[in-house]
Amino acid sequence: MGKSSNSGYLMKLTIVATLGGLLFGYDTGVIAGTVGSLDRFFVEPKGLEESAANILLGFLVSIGLAGCVLGGAISGWISTKFGRKNGLIISAILLFISALGSAMPEMLIRPIGQADHTFHIIFMIYRVIGGVGVGLASMLSPVYIAEIAPADKRGQLVSYNQLAIVAGFVVVYFVNYFIAKGGGSDEWLDAVGWKWMFASEIIPAGVFLALLFFIPDTPRSLVLRGKEEEAKAVLLKVNGEDGVTIIEEIKASLNQTEVSGKLFSYGAAVIFIGIGLSAFQQLVGINVILYYATEIFKNINPDTDGALLSQIIVGIANFLFTIIAIKTVDKYGRKPLMLIGALGMSIAMFSLGFVFYAQASGVLALICMLTFVASFAMSWGPITWVLLSEMFPNAIRGRALAIAVALQWIVNFLVSTTFPMMDKNTFLSETFHNGFAYWLYGFFGALAFFFVKKYVPETKGKTLEEMENLWKK
């Protein structure tokens, strides 16, 4: 970085962008404390048979992911046409609307407080709206940070976004816990408490929206839309005198005549690797742990408070081990951490399956979960996003990342909706004592190890413009 670079300004921009990550975690984590209540409020009054009830519950819990797929799919178009900053503003507005509507699906239809089980479709529509916001933020927050960060700090700064995602989960776990405790009874939680859990997201969504009006767009986004002077001003403020050189590199990378700028102009390998990273990040089962942790612990101990506390412990472990990734990703590189993490996740999931199969103690299950979460948090959680935000060439970054992110949410949706079908299936429960699903995730963890070993290149220390040479070869 140049002599007059402004690390304080860079950190301010990073912190605002990471609020998109915090809302990503908050919105996807809030559902974890409401699963049982949603079942009793929307599903049980319908009197459905077992498989239909399980399917409906699966959709109530994970329908927001359908919105995430849509948000991820359109994020490339939005970020290219309107810019990274305006895309984040759209995301914040959608998340604000979703928080209101999920808490009060009867809003604009009946007096507040008069919703019943017949409002399940409207509830799901508001969750989809929030999902679109999360899908946009999941792509745009790491890209925003990657595009303002100097090469030697990019891994660390993009990893802050994952730390913010995890912080969102931890914060909402505490919020859910204290709302549940404050109500004093499971009946109150099932009738009213779950609504307060969704409503609590209004606060971080509003703060994020307000702060976005005080930051600039990214230099690469500005150059892409013909605003070179604005881009130069941002680069000089962030990178000091190095900004003059960087602006020329950006212009050169966007004006190359040897590549067409079409999606496959750098070959299929870069797209294939991006899709593979996205798919495996979900197939290892992380969001089953994050969304269903409370219900998983209830399989061992029906006590609600104990299950919610165990979930908080899992969230704190996720947060602490993400800090390890931040401290090591620019020092040791991306690939070694991804390999260690895949191996740890695979072993932990196979072990968790055996703990359930043997009907062992809840303490052993918690140890396996913590090992899995720690392995994910120091590797595939933050570093997948680091790789995705930096590996695609400038000319195709928006579109290529949109495909990878949309695919990630599709796989997340499939994993999240199939878990209750496996976990609550009478035959699988009686035969494997709820252990079957975890063996499946352990298998994908092993596959993820071999995928990284064979296909993923090391990207440590390269500028976003230098990265293109990896794929030209």
Side-chain angles (χ1 to χ4, degrees), residues 15 27 109 111 113 122 165 170 192 229 234 245 255 265 290 375 444:
I15 289 169
D27 189 82
I109 301 171
I122 297 170
I165 294 172
V170 173
V192 179
E229 289 305 310
V234 176
T245 309
N255 294 323
S265 53
L290 297 180
S375 300
F444 283 119

Side-chain angles (χ1 to χ4, degrees), residues 222-402:
L222 290 166
V223 172
L224 201 60
R225 292 181 293 129
K227 299 181 178 181
E228 289 180 19
E229 289 305 310
E230 288 181 45
K232 191 173 181 180
V234 176
L235 279 166
L236 287 171
K237 197 163 182 180
V238 172
N239 295 80
E241 58 201 38
D242 290 349
V244 179
T245 309
I246 295 170
I247 192 83
E248 295 306 319
E249 289 178 359
I250 294 169
K251 286 161 64 178
S253 77
L254 292 172
N255 294 323
Q256 292 178 77
T257 55
E258 67 268 26
V259 293
S260 66
K262 292 181 180 177
L263 187 63
F264 289 99
S265 53
Y266 290 86
V270 62
I271 307 297
F272 165 74
I273 292 170
I275 286 172
L277 287 168
S278 285
F280 280 118
Q281 193 201 43
Q282 299 305 313
L283 288 169
V284 295
I286 181 60
N287 283 313
V288 166
I289 301 298
L290 297 180
Y291 298 163
Y292 292 104
T294 304
E295 300 306 303
I296 291 167
F297 284 116
K298 282 182 185 176
N299 284 336
I300 305 163
N301 181 354
D303 175 53
T304 301
D305 285 353
L308 284 167
L309 275 172
S310 298
Q311 188 180 59
I312 289 170
I313 293 168
V314 168
I316 291 171
N318 199 355
F319 185 86
L320 293 176
F321 279 86
T322 301
I323 295 172
I324 293 176
I326 291 171
K327 297 291 185 185
T328 56
V329 63
D330 285 321
K331 183 177 181 181
Y332 299 119
R334 286 56 161 154
K335 194 165 181 173
L337 292 175
M338 293 288 272
L339 290 169
I340 293 167
L343 200 59
M345 289 188 298
S346 181
I347 292 169
M349 274 300 195
F350 277 122
S351 301
L352 182 61
F354 280 110
V355 167
F356 273 95
Y357 182 70
Q359 296 181 296
S361 73
V363 174
L364 282 176
L366 181 59
I367 290 169
C368 292
M369 275 197 193
L370 292 175
T371 303
F372 171 83
V373 168
S375 300
F376 180 86
M378 61 164 281
S379 59
W380 282 77
I383 298 171
T384 298
W385 289 109
V386 171
L387 285 164
L388 290 176
S389 66
E390 71 185 4
M391 64 186 278
F392 297 117
N394 282 333
I396 65 167
R397 181 173 299 120
R399 284 163 294 156
L401 187 52

Side-chain angles (χ1 to χ4, degrees), residues 25-48:
Y26 200 105
D27 189 82
T28 51
V30 70
I31 202 79
T34 67
V35 176
S37 296
L38 293 177
D39 190 12
R40 288 180 285 277
F41 190 90
F42 288 116
V43 181
E44 287 183 5
K46 296 184 184 299
L48 302 171

